[in-house]
Amino acid sequence: MFTTRPELVGTFGMVSSTHWLASSAGVAMLEKGGNAFDAAVAAGLVLQVAEPHLNGPGGDLPLILHHAGSGKMEIICGQGSVPEGATLSHYQSLGLEMIPGTGLLATVIPGSFDAWMLMLRDHGTKSLSEVFDAAINYAKNGIPILEKIQATIVHVQNLFREEWKSSADVFLPGNQVPKINQLLCNPVLAETWKRIIKEGESVSRNREDQIDAARHVFYQGFIAESIERFCQKEEVLDNSGRRHHGVINGQDLANWKASYEDPVIYQYGDLEIGKCGPWSQGPVQLQALALLKEMDARQWDPVGSEFVHGVTEALKLAFADREAYYGDPDFVEVPLKQLLSEEYNRKRVKEITDQASLDLRPGRIPGFKMHMPDFDSSGRGGERFSAMGIGEPTLSEKGETRGDTCHVDVVDRWGNMVSATPSGGWLQSSPVIPDLGFCLNSRAQMFWLQEGLPTTLEPGKRPRTTLTPSMALRDGKGYLAYGTPGGDQQDQWQTIFILRHLDAGFNLQQSIDAPSFHTEHFPESFFPRQAKLGKLVVEGRFSPEVIGNLKERGHQVQVGNDWSEGRLCAVSQEDGLLKAAANPRGMQGYAVGR
């Protein structure tokens, strides 16, 4: 099986991320004696500078960690919840039928900072200044502009010049789109981080106390004050075509904290695969695996038409159940036990035939009502105002990755593992807050303004995020950490990856490099919430025979570029060896280690 690069093998430590600067910063932290948790934080902070079109300090973060000492796998939920002022009646009073994909009305409480700091405090060993050092250096001295960043800035440059002028100050230096490899600096962000560290270190010599003080500074100190002031003062043009104030305030920030929870676990083969709960789309991957187990997917050619068809049809059923039942379990009862049960999936798999389904078909579960949103199934989505902004620009019509999210996986020599998917607060989500150097997220666009749904907008509720890191244990030990950007495609590409790795025996790099695909057969999670029933996007590297057979089966096949599907990262450990791989698509993801 051809690979673009080798699967890395070593014994010291491995970091795989969506940008080589972040991977290098993570390994540098390991070289300084830090563990996987220190390395993941250092890498995650660098991603906020190196991939500003994909994430930022005002974004969100779910992560899964495995502590080798305790043998425990845990979730840290850094998905911020809805502000108290973001009520259904408030948004309806503004004449909105859908939450905009950009601007301040789409903002929930930024959760990534607290999630990174919580893991650093409880599991890391390094100080604030040590883990922030690389990120501050890149913010101060600049990161090289890559093609994807430039393309995003080109798309929103007029919006920045005419409306979001604080963003133009950062991302259009000299009022010009930066050139490829030009160093882009964000000195205001560097000073913001320096102030957080200074105020944190002033309270105590104790590392844990300093980290808690930094968390307080962000959510109750000058950061919170700046966020509240900006949201109250500024009217921001969003892609509803109108200008709106934000609703988030200092009290919302002060009342929220990142939290621990147990993962949802599904046994596939000899692995326990852990995912975030149904406030994410994570269980979709587990249900798809449950269906595929019933279909005996391991017998299929991993690049053949039977594989592509079977996986696609299983994902269609799992995503239909996502739409009908998933939501924040603190607010809605989600029948997760039933959705992942052998009995339920044995019945559901009978709905899969050798022909493509063209209907959205959630399952019926006794005792639970099925609630489906009203969505655009035309596949056009062109009737809604775009405001030159982008919600989460995962794929173009040709299947080309344009950016959306980041990912980082780490394993250290002690066997600790982290899988983290930071996102939100990207440069195209809302204007930069001038005195902080970063912008806020737009994750509230996951909600519907339709009453009675599991994902109806409600204060305090977590959005049903698409962010979905993955981890697998074998015999109670961390075996594999993996994940990818990609919005609604994340658990699709990850399912394909894990099947090829576990069932077909591909190594990590082979599993990532093999031609991939995705379906759009469900309402997308991002504005303008379209569904393209029956649509299947495949990379051009699939053989003409495979593509022809898929068309014969009734799939609405769109052939994308040869290297357009997925941005996976992965690390593993087994028998004393550490391994890593990263996606070559996009020309910036790299694994580093020794």
Side-chain angles (χ1 to χ4, degrees):
M1 176 68 191
F2 166 80
T3 61
T4 57
R5 55 185 74 164
E7 179 188 61
L8 302 188
V9 182
T11 58
F12 179 77
M14 295 285 170
V15 182
S16 178
S17 85
T18 47
H19 199 293
W20 69 82
L21 292 178
S23 298
S24 298
V27 170
M29 189 57 61
L30 295 177
E31 296 282 3
K32 294 174 183 176
N35 60 23
F37 313 111
D38 299 310
V41 175
L45 293 171
V46 169
L47 284 172
Q48 293 177 0
V49 187
E51 298 190 310
H53 58 314
L54 309 179
N55 80 138
D60 23 48
L61 168 68
L63 64 84
I64 309 178
L65 63 89
H66 170 72
H67 197 287
S70 67
K72 191 175 183 181
M73 181 164 46
E74 293 181 289
I75 303 291
I76 293 183
C77 176
Q79 176 53 69
S81 56
V82 175
E84 286 300 310
T87 62
L88 201 60
S89 60
H90 174 65
Y91 284 62
Q92 289 172 342
S93 73
L94 297 173
L96 296 171
E97 296 181 357
M98 185 174 296
I99 297 175
T102 61
L104 298 178
L105 283 179
T107 294
V108 299
I109 297 165
S112 65
F113 184 87
D114 207 51
W116 285 128
M117 292 300 104
L118 183 61
M119 182 171 70
L120 179 67
R121 185 196 70 182
D122 294 348
H123 302 283
T125 64
K126 295 299 184 180
S127 67
L128 286 170
S129 58
E130 288 174 305
V131 298
F132 272 95
D133 182 61
I136 290 174
N137 178 66
Y138 286 124
K140 179 181 177 182
N141 298 312
I143 55 101
I145 287 288
L146 303 180
E147 181 182 349
K148 303 298 182 184
I149 304 175
Q150 187 194 60
T152 304
I153 295 173
V154 167
H155 186 85
V156 294
Q157 61 177 311
N158 292 333
L159 175 66
F160 283 9
R161 290 191 179 101
E162 297 166 14
E163 296 283 346
W164 298 5
K165 297 183 179 180
S166 59
S167 294
D169 292 340
V170 176
F171 297 109
L172 293 171
N175 200 32
Q176 299 294 317
V177 173
K179 298 177 181 178
I180 299 296
N181 289 332
Q182 178 180 334
L183 293 180
L184 180 68
C185 305
N186 191 342
V188 175
L189 177 59
E191 291 304 314
T192 295
W193 279 337
K194 287 180 184 178
R195 183 175 172 185
I196 290 174
I197 294 168
K198 182 178 180 180
E199 292 193 21
E201 291 178 342
S202 69
V203 303
S204 169
R205 292 185 176 181
N206 179 271
R207 189 187 76 93
E208 289 80 5
D209 290 344
Q210 291 176 357
I211 294 169
D212 276 337
R215 298 168 69 195
H216 184 274
V217 168
F218 194 101
Y219 292 92
Q220 298 184 53
F222 79 93
I223 301 284
E225 292 169 0
S226 292
I227 290 173
E228 179 181 63
R229 185 166 55 248
F230 186 80
C231 289
Q232 290 181 350
K233 177 183 176 183
E234 299 296 325
E235 269 196 321
V236 170
L237 179 68
D238 56 45
N239 55 8
S240 71
R242 289 177 282 149
R243 296 174 180 82
H244 296 104
H245 291 288
V247 295
I248 193 170
N249 60 39
Q251 197 61 48
D252 294 315
L253 293 159
N255 290 340
W256 186 87
K257 284 184 172 62
S259 57
Y260 287 99
E261 60 184 60
D262 293 330
V264 180
I265 293 176
Y266 181 75
Q267 186 83 31
Y268 189 79
D270 63 350
L271 295 187
E272 290 184 335
I273 299 177
K275 298 290 291 184
C276 299
W279 50 269
S280 77
Q281 69 176 7
V284 162
Q285 182 184 150
L286 305 183
Q287 187 182 350
L289 290 173
L291 289 162
L292 291 160
K293 184 190 291 186
E294 294 294 329
M295 299 167 73
D296 197 16
R298 67 183 61 211
Q299 67 180 321
W300 299 334
D301 174 357
V303 291
S305 58
E306 189 74 14
F307 180 88
V308 177
H309 172 76
V311 172
T312 298
E313 293 305 301
L315 287 166
K316 286 179 181 179
L317 295 182
F319 272 100
D321 285 344
R322 180 192 75 165
E323 292 308 312
Y325 298 111
Y326 285 24
D328 186 344
D330 293 338
F331 285 76
V332 297
E333 188 177 2
V334 182
L336 203 54
K337 183 177 180 181
Q338 292 89 331
L339 289 171
L340 299 181
S341 71
E342 185 176 297
E343 178 185 9
Y344 177 75
N345 287 292
R346 187 169 292 152
K347 292 178 180 177
R348 286 285 270 160
V349 80
K350 293 177 182 178
E351 300 178 46
I352 296 176
T353 70
D354 62 357
Q355 290 296 302
S357 168
L358 300 180
D359 298 312
L360 194 64
R361 301 178 294 174
R364 297 191 177 274
I365 298 176
F368 291 85
K369 292 183 179 180
M370 187 175 63
H371 304 277
M372 294 294 285
D374 297 327
F375 58 90
D376 175 10
S377 62
S378 69
R380 295 188 302 270
E383 300 171 1
R384 297 184 174 95
F385 183 81
S386 72
M388 297 170 288
I390 310 172
E392 177 159 306
T394 302
L395 294 163
S396 74
E397 279 302 303
K398 293 183 179 180
E400 298 165 335
T401 302
R402 297 203 306 265
D404 47 78
T405 295
C406 305
H407 188 80
V408 58
D409 296 311
V410 186
V411 59
D412 65 26
R413 62 190 184 275
W414 300 287
N416 302 307
M417 301 186 86
V418 179
S419 177
T421 309
S423 184
W426 44 65
L427 66 89
Q428 63 272 28
S429 61
S430 64
V432 167
I433 300 173
D435 51 348
L436 298 180
F438 65 83
C439 53
L440 297 173
N441 64 79
S442 53
R443 193 61 60 179
Q445 64 183 294
M446 309 286 101
F447 288 105
W448 294 92
L449 299 181
Q450 178 181 340
E451 295 188 35
L453 302 176
T455 50
T456 298
L457 181 71
E458 189 172 350
K461 185 185 282 188
R462 287 173 287 185
R464 190 204 67 203
T465 182
T466 55
L467 305 177
T468 174
S470 298
M471 186 171 288
L473 306 188
R474 175 177 282 150
D475 299 325
K477 296 181 180 179
Y479 168 67
L480 178 66
Y482 60 105
T484 179
D488 293 306
Q489 281 75 58
Q490 288 183 29
D491 277 307
Q492 300 190 54
W493 293 329
Q494 291 182 53
T495 300
I496 297 162
F497 164 84
I498 200 71
L499 290 171
R500 286 171 169 166
H501 180 56
L502 296 182
D503 292 346
F506 288 11
N507 71 30
L508 299 182
Q509 194 63 50
Q510 290 171 333
S511 301
I512 290 171
D513 283 355
S516 199
F517 55 93
H518 79 269
T519 178
E520 298 178 15
H521 184 89
F522 46 80
E524 62 183 340
S525 296
F526 298 91
F527 184 94
R529 313 304 294 268
Q530 304 170 57
K532 299 173 183 177
L533 301 182
K535 183 177 178 180
L536 174 62
V537 182
V538 301
E539 284 185 333
R541 289 182 293 137
F542 279 103
S543 72
E545 291 77 16
V546 168
I547 293 170
N549 184 263
L550 292 169
K551 290 179 179 178
E552 289 173 3
R553 291 172 181 264
H555 294 282
Q556 308 299 309
V557 178
Q558 177 177 303
V559 180
N561 289 341
D562 285 359
W563 296 90
S564 54
E565 290 286 314
R567 289 179 64 212
L568 278 147
C569 302
V571 300
S572 70
Q573 62 172 339
E574 189 174 28
D575 299 329
L577 291 179
L578 310 180
K579 300 179 180 180
N583 173 57
R585 303 164 179 89
M587 303 293 286
Q588 63 190 64
Y590 277 89
V592 181
R594 65 172 179 87

